[in-house]
Amino acid sequence: MKYDMNDIENIADFSEALRAVCEDIMNGIPKSRACESHGVSLTMFNKIMHGLKKTTAKDGIAPPPEH
């Protein structure tokens, strides 16, 4: 699949939103509210987390520490 600069900018923006969601969650804000306030669907957040756990387990990579 070929990507253009707009695609790269979109993923960069999305990663910033994910970081903000994670920071809110680490500060005690409920996951659903954190996702909503940063424009990230709760379903997408959960899919990413599931995929991350699945990938790290399959590849033998230690998952990031949980807070």
Side-chain angles (χ1 to χ4, degrees):
M1 175 181 267
K2 188 173 181 178
Y3 305 106
D4 63 24
M5 291 307 290
N6 189 49
D7 296 324
I8 302 302
E9 289 174 10
N10 286 338
I11 196 72
D13 291 344
F14 185 68
S15 69
E16 289 176 20
L18 281 177
R19 176 174 288 285
V21 168
C22 292
E23 287 175 5
D24 283 357
I25 293 168
M26 290 187 286
N27 287 323
I29 295 173
K31 181 172 53 171
S32 59
R33 195 166 80 204
C35 286
E36 183 179 335
S37 67
H38 295 287
V40 175
S41 80
L42 183 58
T43 300
M44 179 59 74
F45 184 85
N46 288 332
K47 284 182 181 181
I48 291 168
M49 289 301 298
H50 178 75
L52 178 63
K53 288 183 175 219
K54 188 176 178 182
T55 300
T56 55
K58 179 183 77 169
D59 295 337
I61 301 169
E66 295 198 19
H67 297 270

Coordinates of all heavy atoms in Angstrom, one line a residue:
M1 N 0.8 -1.2 0.0 CA 0.0 0.0 0.0 C 0.9 1.2 0.0 O 1.8 1.3 0.7 CB -0.9 0.0 1.2 CG -1.7 1.2 1.4 SD -2.8 1.2 2.8 CE -4.3 0.6 2.1
K2 N 0.6 2.2 -0.8 CA 1.3 3.4 -0.9 C 0.7 4.5 0.0 O -0.5 4.7 0.0 CB 1.4 3.9 -2.4 CG 2.3 5.0 -2.6 CD 2.4 5.3 -4.1 CE 3.4 6.5 -4.3 NZ 3.6 6.8 -5.6
Y3 N 1.6 5.2 0.7 CA 1.1 6.3 1.6 C 1.6 7.6 1.0 O 2.7 7.7 0.5 CB 1.7 6.1 3.0 CG 1.4 4.7 3.6 CD1 2.3 3.7 3.7 CD2 0.1 4.4 4.0 CE1 2.0 2.5 4.2 CE2 -0.2 3.2 4.6 CZ 0.8 2.2 4.7 OH 0.5 1.0 5.2
D4 N 0.8 8.6 1.3 CA 1.3 10.0 0.9 C 1.4 10.8 2.2 O 1.2 10.3 3.3 CB 0.3 10.7 -0.1 CG -1.1 10.9 0.5 OD1 -1.3 11.0 1.7 OD2 -2.0 11.0 -0.3
M5 N 1.9 12.0 2.1 CA 2.2 12.8 3.2 C 0.9 13.1 4.1 O 1.0 13.2 5.3 CB 2.8 14.2 2.8 CG 4.3 14.0 2.3 SD 5.3 13.0 3.4 CE 5.5 14.2 4.7
N6 N -0.2 13.2 3.4 CA -1.5 13.4 4.2 C -1.7 12.2 5.1 O -2.2 12.4 6.2 CB -2.6 13.6 3.2 CG -3.9 14.1 3.9 OD1 -3.9 15.0 4.7 ND2 -5.0 13.4 3.6
D7 N -1.5 11.0 4.6 CA -1.7 9.8 5.4 C -0.7 9.8 6.6 O -1.1 9.5 7.7 CB -1.4 8.5 4.6 CG -2.3 8.3 3.5 OD1 -3.5 8.7 3.6 OD2 -1.9 7.8 2.4
I8 N 0.5 10.2 6.4 CA 1.5 10.3 7.5 C 1.1 11.4 8.5 O 1.1 11.1 9.7 CB 2.9 10.6 6.9 CG1 3.3 9.6 5.9 CG2 3.9 10.8 8.0 CD1 3.4 8.2 6.4
E9 N 0.6 12.5 8.0 CA 0.1 13.5 9.0 C -1.1 13.1 9.8 O -1.2 13.3 11.0 CB -0.2 14.8 8.2 CG 1.0 15.5 7.7 CD 0.6 16.7 6.8 OE1 -0.6 17.1 6.7 OE2 1.5 17.2 6.1
N10 N -2.0 12.3 9.1 CA -3.2 11.8 9.8 C -2.8 10.8 10.9 O -3.3 10.9 12.0 CB -4.1 11.1 8.9 CG -4.9 12.1 8.0 OD1 -5.0 13.3 8.4 ND2 -5.4 11.7 6.9
I11 N -1.8 9.9 10.7 CA -1.4 9.0 11.7 C -0.6 9.7 12.8 O -0.8 9.3 14.0 CB -0.6 7.8 11.1 CG1 -0.5 6.6 12.1 CG2 0.8 8.2 10.7 CD1 -1.8 5.9 12.3
A12 N 0.1 10.7 12.5 CA 0.8 11.5 13.5 C -0.2 12.2 14.4 O -0.1 12.2 15.6 CB 1.7 12.5 12.9
D13 N -1.3 12.8 13.8 CA -2.3 13.4 14.6 C -3.0 12.4 15.5 O -3.3 12.7 16.7 CB -3.3 14.1 13.7 CG -2.8 15.3 13.0 OD1 -1.7 15.8 13.4 OD2 -3.4 15.7 12.0
F14 N -3.3 11.2 14.9 CA -4.0 10.2 15.7 C -3.1 9.7 16.9 O -3.6 9.5 18.0 CB -4.3 9.0 14.8 CG -5.1 8.0 15.5 CD1 -6.4 8.2 15.9 CD2 -4.6 6.7 15.7 CE1 -7.2 7.2 16.6 CE2 -5.3 5.7 16.4 CZ -6.6 6.0 16.8
S15 N -1.8 9.6 16.6 CA -0.9 9.1 17.7 C -0.8 10.2 18.8 O -0.7 9.8 20.0 CB 0.5 8.8 17.2 OG 1.2 10.0 16.8
E16 N -0.9 11.5 18.5 CA -0.9 12.5 19.5 C -2.2 12.4 20.3 O -2.2 12.6 21.6 CB -0.8 13.9 18.9 CG 0.6 14.1 18.3 CD 0.7 15.5 17.6 OE1 -0.2 16.3 17.8 OE2 1.7 15.6 16.8
A17 N -3.3 12.1 19.7 CA -4.6 11.9 20.4 C -4.5 10.7 21.3 O -5.0 10.8 22.4 CB -5.8 11.8 19.4
L18 N -3.9 9.6 20.8 CA -3.8 8.4 21.7 C -2.9 8.7 22.9 O -3.2 8.3 24.0 CB -3.2 7.3 20.9 CG -4.1 6.5 19.9 CD1 -3.3 5.5 19.2 CD2 -5.2 5.9 20.7
R19 N -1.8 9.5 22.7 CA -1.0 9.8 23.8 C -1.8 10.6 24.8 O -1.7 10.4 26.0 CB 0.2 10.6 23.3 CG 1.1 11.1 24.5 CD 2.4 11.8 24.1 NE 3.3 10.8 23.5 CZ 4.1 10.0 24.2 NH1 3.9 9.9 25.5 NH2 4.9 9.2 23.6
A20 N -2.6 11.6 24.4 CA -3.4 12.4 25.3 C -4.4 11.5 26.1 O -4.6 11.7 27.3 CB -4.1 13.5 24.5
V21 N -5.0 10.6 25.4 CA -5.9 9.6 26.0 C -5.2 8.9 27.1 O -5.7 8.7 28.2 CB -6.6 8.7 25.0 CG1 -7.3 7.5 25.7 CG2 -7.5 9.4 24.1
C22 N -4.0 8.3 26.8 CA -3.3 7.5 27.7 C -2.9 8.4 28.9 O -2.9 7.9 30.1 CB -2.0 6.9 27.1 SG -2.4 5.7 25.9
E23 N -2.4 9.6 28.7 CA -2.1 10.5 29.8 C -3.3 10.7 30.7 O -3.2 10.7 32.0 CB -1.5 11.8 29.3 CG -0.1 11.7 28.7 CD 0.4 13.0 28.1 OE1 -0.3 14.0 28.1 OE2 1.5 12.9 27.5
D24 N -4.5 11.0 30.1 CA -5.7 11.2 30.9 C -6.0 10.0 31.8 O -6.3 10.1 33.0 CB -6.9 11.5 30.0 CG -6.9 12.9 29.5 OD1 -6.0 13.7 29.9 OD2 -7.8 13.3 28.7
I25 N -5.9 8.8 31.1 CA -6.2 7.5 31.9 C -5.2 7.4 33.0 O -5.6 7.0 34.1 CB -6.2 6.3 30.9 CG1 -7.3 6.4 29.9 CG2 -6.2 5.0 31.7 CD1 -7.2 5.4 28.7
M26 N -3.9 7.6 32.8 CA -2.9 7.5 33.9 C -3.2 8.5 35.0 O -2.8 8.3 36.1 CB -1.5 7.7 33.3 CG -1.1 6.5 32.4 SD 0.6 6.5 31.9 CE 0.6 7.8 30.7
N27 N -3.9 9.6 34.7 CA -4.2 10.6 35.7 C -5.6 10.4 36.3 O -6.1 11.2 37.0 CB -4.2 12.0 35.1 CG -2.8 12.5 34.8 OD1 -1.9 12.2 35.6 ND2 -2.6 13.2 33.7
G28 N -6.2 9.2 36.1 CA -7.4 8.8 36.7 C -8.7 9.1 36.0 O -9.7 8.8 36.6
I29 N -8.6 9.6 34.8 CA -9.8 9.9 34.1 C -10.3 8.6 33.5 O -9.5 7.8 32.9 CB -9.6 10.9 33.0 CG1 -9.2 12.3 33.6 CG2 -10.8 11.1 32.0 CD1 -8.8 13.4 32.7
P30 N -11.6 8.3 33.6 CA -12.1 7.0 33.0 C -11.8 6.9 31.5 O -11.8 7.9 30.8 CB -13.6 7.1 33.2 CG -13.8 8.0 34.4 CD -12.6 9.0 34.3
K31 N -11.5 5.7 31.0 CA -11.1 5.5 29.7 C -12.1 6.0 28.7 O -11.7 6.7 27.7 CB -10.9 4.0 29.5 CG -10.5 3.6 28.1 CD -10.1 2.1 28.0 CE -11.1 1.2 28.5 NZ -10.8 -0.2 28.2
S32 N -13.4 5.8 28.9 CA -14.4 6.3 28.0 C -14.4 7.8 27.9 O -14.5 8.3 26.8 CB -15.8 5.8 28.4 OG -16.1 6.2 29.7
R33 N -14.3 8.5 29.0 CA -14.3 9.9 29.0 C -13.0 10.5 28.3 O -13.1 11.5 27.6 CB -14.4 10.5 30.4 CG -14.8 12.0 30.3 CD -15.3 12.4 31.7 NE -14.1 12.7 32.5 CZ -14.2 12.7 33.8 NH1 -15.3 12.4 34.5 NH2 -13.1 13.0 34.5
A34 N -11.9 9.9 28.6 CA -10.6 10.3 28.0 C -10.7 10.1 26.4 O -10.3 11.0 25.7 CB -9.5 9.5 28.5
C35 N -11.2 9.0 26.0 CA -11.3 8.8 24.5 C -12.2 9.8 23.9 O -11.9 10.4 22.9 CB -11.8 7.4 24.3 SG -10.6 6.1 24.5
E36 N -13.4 10.0 24.5 CA -14.3 11.0 24.0 C -13.8 12.4 23.9 O -13.9 13.1 22.9 CB -15.6 11.0 24.9 CG -16.7 11.9 24.3 CD -17.9 11.9 25.2 OE1 -18.2 10.9 25.9 OE2 -18.7 12.9 25.2
S37 N -13.0 12.8 24.9 CA -12.5 14.2 24.9 C -11.4 14.4 23.9 O -11.1 15.6 23.6 CB -12.1 14.6 26.3 OG -11.0 13.9 26.7
H38 N -10.8 13.3 23.4 CA -9.7 13.5 22.4 C -10.1 13.0 21.1 O -9.3 12.8 20.2 CB -8.5 12.8 22.9 CG -7.9 13.5 24.2 ND1 -7.3 14.7 24.2 CD2 -8.0 13.1 25.5 CE1 -7.0 15.0 25.4 NE2 -7.4 14.1 26.2
G39 N -11.4 12.6 20.9 CA -11.9 12.2 19.6 C -11.4 10.9 19.1 O -11.3 10.6 17.9
V40 N -11.1 10.0 20.1 CA -10.7 8.6 19.8 C -11.9 7.7 20.2 O -12.3 7.8 21.3 CB -9.4 8.2 20.5 CG1 -9.1 6.8 20.3 CG2 -8.3 9.1 20.1
S41 N -12.3 6.9 19.3 CA -13.4 6.0 19.7 C -12.9 4.9 20.7 O -11.8 4.5 20.6 CB -14.1 5.3 18.4 OG -13.3 4.2 18.0
L42 N -13.8 4.6 21.6 CA -13.4 3.6 22.6 C -13.2 2.3 22.0 O -12.2 1.6 22.4 CB -14.5 3.5 23.7 CG -14.3 2.6 24.9 CD1 -13.1 3.0 25.6 CD2 -15.5 2.6 25.8
T43 N -13.9 2.0 21.0 CA -13.7 0.7 20.2 C -12.3 0.6 19.6 O -11.6 -0.4 19.7 CB -14.8 0.5 19.1 OG1 -16.1 0.5 19.8 CG2 -14.6 -0.8 18.4
M44 N -11.9 1.7 19.0 CA -10.6 1.8 18.4 C -9.5 1.7 19.4 O -8.5 1.0 19.2 CB -10.4 3.1 17.5 CG -9.1 3.2 16.9 SD -8.7 1.9 15.8 CE -9.7 2.3 14.4
F45 N -9.7 2.4 20.5 CA -8.7 2.3 21.6 C -8.5 0.9 22.1 O -7.4 0.4 22.2 CB -9.1 3.2 22.8 CG -8.1 3.3 23.9 CD1 -7.0 4.1 23.8 CD2 -8.2 2.5 25.0 CE1 -6.0 4.2 24.8 CE2 -7.3 2.5 26.0 CZ -6.2 3.3 25.9
N46 N -9.7 0.2 22.3 CA -9.6 -1.2 22.8 C -9.0 -2.1 21.8 O -8.3 -3.0 22.1 CB -11.0 -1.6 23.2 CG -11.5 -1.0 24.5 OD1 -10.7 -0.6 25.3 ND2 -12.8 -0.8 24.6
K47 N -9.3 -1.9 20.5 CA -8.7 -2.7 19.4 C -7.2 -2.5 19.4 O -6.4 -3.5 19.2 CB -9.3 -2.4 18.1 CG -10.6 -2.9 17.8 CD -11.1 -2.6 16.4 CE -12.5 -3.1 16.2 NZ -13.0 -2.8 14.8
I48 N -6.7 -1.3 19.6 CA -5.3 -1.1 19.6 C -4.6 -1.7 20.8 O -3.6 -2.4 20.7 CB -5.0 0.5 19.6 CG1 -5.4 1.0 18.2 CG2 -3.5 0.8 19.9 CD1 -5.4 2.5 18.2
M49 N -5.2 -1.6 21.9 CA -4.7 -2.3 23.1 C -4.6 -3.8 23.0 O -3.7 -4.4 23.3 CB -5.5 -1.9 24.4 CG -5.3 -0.5 24.8 SD -3.6 0.0 25.2 CE -3.3 -1.1 26.6
H50 N -5.7 -4.3 22.4 CA -5.8 -5.8 22.2 C -4.7 -6.2 21.2 O -4.0 -7.2 21.5 CB -7.2 -6.2 21.7 CG -7.3 -7.6 21.4 ND1 -7.4 -8.6 22.4 CD2 -7.3 -8.3 20.2 CE1 -7.5 -9.8 21.8 NE2 -7.4 -9.6 20.5
G51 N -4.5 -5.5 20.2 CA -3.5 -5.8 19.2 C -2.1 -5.6 19.7 O -1.2 -6.5 19.4
L52 N -1.9 -4.7 20.6 CA -0.6 -4.5 21.2 C -0.3 -5.6 22.1 O 0.8 -6.2 22.0 CB -0.6 -3.2 22.0 CG 0.7 -2.8 22.7 CD1 1.9 -2.7 21.8 CD2 0.5 -1.6 23.6
K53 N -1.2 -6.0 22.9 CA -1.0 -7.2 23.8 C -0.7 -8.5 23.0 O 0.1 -9.3 23.3 CB -2.1 -7.4 24.8 CG -2.2 -6.3 25.8 CD -3.3 -6.6 26.8 CE -3.2 -5.5 27.9 NZ -3.5 -6.1 29.2
K54 N -1.5 -8.6 22.0 CA -1.4 -9.8 21.2 C 0.0 -9.9 20.4 O 0.6 -10.9 20.4 CB -2.5 -9.9 20.1 CG -2.6 -11.1 19.3 CD -3.9 -11.0 18.4 CE -4.0 -12.2 17.6 NZ -5.2 -12.1 16.7
T55 N 0.4 -8.8 19.9 CA 1.7 -8.7 19.2 C 2.8 -8.9 20.1 O 3.7 -9.6 19.8 CB 1.8 -7.3 18.5 OG1 0.7 -7.2 17.6 CG2 3.1 -7.2 17.8
T56 N 2.8 -8.2 21.3 CA 3.9 -8.3 22.2 C 4.1 -9.8 22.7 O 5.2 -10.3 22.9 CB 3.8 -7.3 23.3 OG1 2.6 -7.5 24.0 CG2 4.0 -5.9 22.8
A57 N 2.9 -10.4 23.0 CA 3.0 -11.8 23.5 C 3.5 -12.7 22.4 O 4.3 -13.6 22.6 CB 1.6 -12.2 23.9
K58 N 3.0 -12.5 21.2 CA 3.4 -13.4 20.1 C 4.9 -13.3 19.7 O 5.6 -14.2 19.5 CB 2.6 -13.1 18.8 CG 2.9 -13.9 17.6 CD 2.1 -13.5 16.4 CE 2.8 -12.2 15.9 NZ 2.4 -11.8 14.6
D59 N 5.4 -12.0 19.8 CA 6.8 -11.8 19.4 C 7.8 -11.9 20.6 O 9.0 -11.7 20.4 CB 6.9 -10.3 18.9 CG 6.2 -10.2 17.5 OD1 5.9 -11.2 16.9 OD2 5.8 -9.1 17.2
G60 N 7.2 -12.2 21.8 CA 8.1 -12.4 22.9 C 8.6 -11.1 23.5 O 9.6 -11.0 24.1
I61 N 7.9 -10.0 23.1 CA 8.3 -8.7 23.6 C 7.5 -8.4 24.9 O 6.3 -8.6 24.9 CB 8.0 -7.6 22.5 CG1 8.8 -7.9 21.3 CG2 8.4 -6.2 23.0 CD1 8.3 -7.1 20.1
A62 N 8.2 -7.9 25.9 CA 7.5 -7.5 27.1 C 6.6 -6.3 26.8 O 7.0 -5.4 26.2 CB 8.6 -7.1 28.2
P63 N 5.4 -6.5 27.3 CA 4.4 -5.3 27.2 C 4.9 -4.1 28.0 O 5.6 -4.3 28.9 CB 3.1 -5.9 27.7 CG 3.5 -7.0 28.6 CD 4.8 -7.6 28.1
P64 N 4.4 -3.0 27.6 CA 4.8 -1.8 28.4 C 4.3 -2.0 29.8 O 3.3 -2.6 30.1 CB 4.0 -0.6 27.7 CG 3.4 -1.2 26.5 CD 3.5 -2.7 26.5
P65 N 4.9 -1.4 30.8 CA 4.5 -1.5 32.2 C 3.1 -0.9 32.4 O 2.8 0.1 31.8 CB 5.5 -0.7 33.0 CG 6.2 0.1 32.0 CD 6.1 -0.5 30.7
E66 N 2.3 -1.5 33.2 CA 1.0 -1.0 33.5 C 1.1 -0.1 34.7 O 1.8 -0.4 35.6 CB 0.0 -2.2 33.7 CG -0.2 -3.0 32.5 CD -1.4 -3.8 32.5 OE1 -2.3 -3.5 33.3 OE2 -1.5 -4.8 31.7
H67 N 0.3 1.0 34.7 CA 0.3 1.9 35.8 C -0.9 1.8 36.6 O -2.0 1.4 36.3 CB 0.3 3.4 35.2 CG 1.6 3.6 34.5 ND1 2.7 4.1 35.1 CD2 1.9 3.5 33.2 CE1 3.6 4.2 34.1 NE2 3.1 3.9 33.0

